[in-house]
Amino acid sequence: MAESYTLDSKDMEILRALQHNARLSNKELSAKVHLSTTPTYERVKRLEKLGFIKEYATILDEAKLNKGFAVFCSIKLRRINSEYANAFTDMIKKVPEVTECYNISGSFDYLMRVQVPDMRSYQKLLLEVVGRHENIDSMESTFVMEEIKHDYGVGV
């Protein structure tokens, strides 16, 4: 049976601090959340073990990496069942330009966020990669003109 754990206010403080800066040393984190180092370390390890902390990542600057052209692409499949959905998602998982993909409800089946250098690169991606999938019925692109807010974490 899976271990159950209720988050308390210190756990939430730890999660907020690590979401803001995952490179904090245990000593720095302890000072931020006003706990000694051993309990802080034990709490972080428990949060990792229980899956509250899934992984640690580095946030890169898309524009500096020449991937600053962001597009949301909505996709509708012709046919939908587990076989067709799996084939589509397996293909999308292999496309590095697709940075996020969600199975959604409504008029479309999937919503993807794509990061590429420019419009020409996006067109090439659609024509030569994504659009070649045999089960795609339609696609609709929404181009990002300005990013207003992009929080990488969960509001805790």
Side-chain angles (χ1 to χ4, degrees):
M1 191 162 145
E3 184 180 348
S4 174
Y5 184 74
T6 303
L7 298 177
D8 64 18
S9 61
K10 285 297 176 191
D11 292 327
M12 297 303 282
E13 283 184 63
I14 289 169
L15 291 175
R16 277 191 292 276
L18 288 175
Q19 258 190 163
H20 182 70
N21 182 359
R23 293 186 65 180
L24 289 172
S25 69
N26 189 56
K27 184 178 178 181
E28 292 167 326
L29 180 58
S30 298
K32 236 181 205 333
V33 299
H34 309 290
L35 278 177
S36 60
T37 57
T38 301
T40 301
Y41 177 81
E42 289 170 353
R43 282 175 180 261
V44 169
K45 289 301 166 198
R46 186 178 320 116
L47 291 166
E48 290 171 347
K49 180 181 172 203
L50 294 172
F52 288 100
I53 299 172
K54 291 170 49 173
E55 63 183 276
Y56 297 91
T58 301
I59 299 167
L60 305 176
D61 186 316
E62 297 98 345
K64 288 185 178 183
L65 293 167
N66 195 28
K67 301 281 183 168
F69 190 76
V71 183
F72 286 95
C73 181
S74 302
I75 295 181
K76 181 161 188 60
L77 299 182
R78 280 191 191 103
R79 295 173 301 279
I80 191 83
N81 64 31
S82 59
E83 180 185 340
Y84 293 120
N86 288 339
F88 176 76
T89 58
D90 288 346
M91 182 265 299
I92 289 302
K93 288 176 183 176
K94 296 174 186 167
V95 181
E97 294 88 352
V98 176
T99 58
E100 299 174 57
C101 183
Y102 303 94
N103 180 216
I104 59 173
S105 65
S107 302
F108 291 93
D109 299 310
Y110 294 93
L111 176 64
M112 304 184 313
R113 179 183 172 107
V114 178
Q115 293 289 150
V116 289
D118 52 33
M119 178 67 82
R120 174 93 51 221
S121 301
Y122 180 65
Q123 179 186 32
K124 183 177 178 181
L125 177 74
L126 287 187
L127 295 175
E128 297 179 10
V129 181
V130 178
R132 288 184 181 251
H133 193 275
E134 62 193 27
N135 194 31
I136 292 179
D137 183 47
S138 63
M139 296 185 285
E140 183 178 296
S141 301
T142 304
F143 302 97
V144 176
M145 297 188 309
E146 179 184 11
E147 188 175 277
I148 307 302
K149 180 179 180 181
H150 189 153
D151 284 340
Y152 292 92
V154 177
V156 293

